[in-house]
Amino acid sequence: MIKTKFGEIELKLFPELAPKHVENFIKLAKDGFYNGTIFHRVIPGFMIQGGDPNTKDSLKKDSYGQGGPGYTVKAEFSDTPHKRGIVSMARATDPDTAGSQFFIVVEDSRFLDRKYTVFGEVTKGIGVADKIVNLPKNDRDLPNDRIEMTVTIVE
């Protein structure tokens, strides 16, 4: 569950598709890693991205998008399409560089299929992602308003 000031986004995780990514996301969430991070990249008609620890510091905007947990997780690609509501891992050019950053797809983005690791989907609260994706933002897709998240695992 991702809590924001616009409401809650409930996720269903897919351990059968991406066991290492799901395990990593749950571990980071339980450790409080995501709490206080923001959605630092919003692109209307595409997705919202968050989970970078650098975003906890509002004075380090130049480093947003570069942070992670200090390790990477090997890609776990699947045939699951990047449709609206899918939760997938962000990464650098190398497929095996996912760490903590993730994104929620707000419009079908099939060009990402088999290139990014799908590890869950939104089951409730996709409207919250819609609100976030349409916020006023700067030329680097960073919302003008800090949308902090708290991520909790409900078992």
Side-chain angles (χ1 to χ4, degrees):
M1 161 120 44
I2 301 171
K3 291 187 178 121
T4 74
K5 64 181 169 191
F6 292 122
E8 296 177 352
I9 301 171
E10 287 182 23
L11 308 179
K12 176 185 178 209
L13 301 177
F14 298 152
E16 68 287 355
L17 281 188
K20 295 277 182 248
H21 285 78
V22 168
E23 183 185 309
N24 179 54
F25 184 80
I26 290 171
K27 179 195 176 305
L28 292 173
K30 284 183 171 174
D31 290 347
F33 182 92
Y34 290 116
N35 300 343
T37 64
I38 64 168
F39 285 102
H40 65 274
R41 188 168 173 236
V42 300
I43 303 176
F46 182 27
M47 59 91 210
I48 62 173
Q49 181 174 329
D52 176 352
N54 294 349
T55 63
K56 291 181 183 183
D57 186 339
S58 61
L59 302 176
K60 288 195 178 152
K61 290 191 172 113
D62 287 349
S63 70
Y64 287 9
Q66 297 165 26
Y71 58 82
T72 56
V73 182
K74 194 167 171 36
E76 296 175 299
F77 299 148
S78 69
D79 290 326
T80 302
H82 281 77
K83 300 184 317 245
R84 175 172 165 79
I86 283 294
V87 185
S88 192
M89 286 303 282
R91 60 168 175 80
T93 316
D94 180 328
D96 298 330
T97 53
S100 61
Q101 294 186 49
F102 64 91
F103 60 93
I104 298 171
V105 179
V106 294
E107 295 286 337
D108 293 5
S109 301
R110 301 296 303 272
F111 61 93
L112 300 174
D113 292 359
R114 299 199 62 77
K115 295 187 180 91
Y116 290 80
T117 299
V118 171
F119 71 96
E121 74 179 333
V122 174
T123 54
K124 202 169 148 202
I126 191 71
V128 175
D130 291 334
K131 280 186 191 140
I132 294 170
V133 84
N134 289 308
L135 290 170
K137 58 190 177 89
N138 71 12
D139 58 359
R140 294 176 60 200
D141 301 317
L142 173 69
N144 300 337
D145 196 10
R146 281 182 65 83
I147 310 306
E148 290 190 10
M149 69 178 88
T150 305
V151 180
T152 50
I153 302 298
V154 183
E155 300 189 61

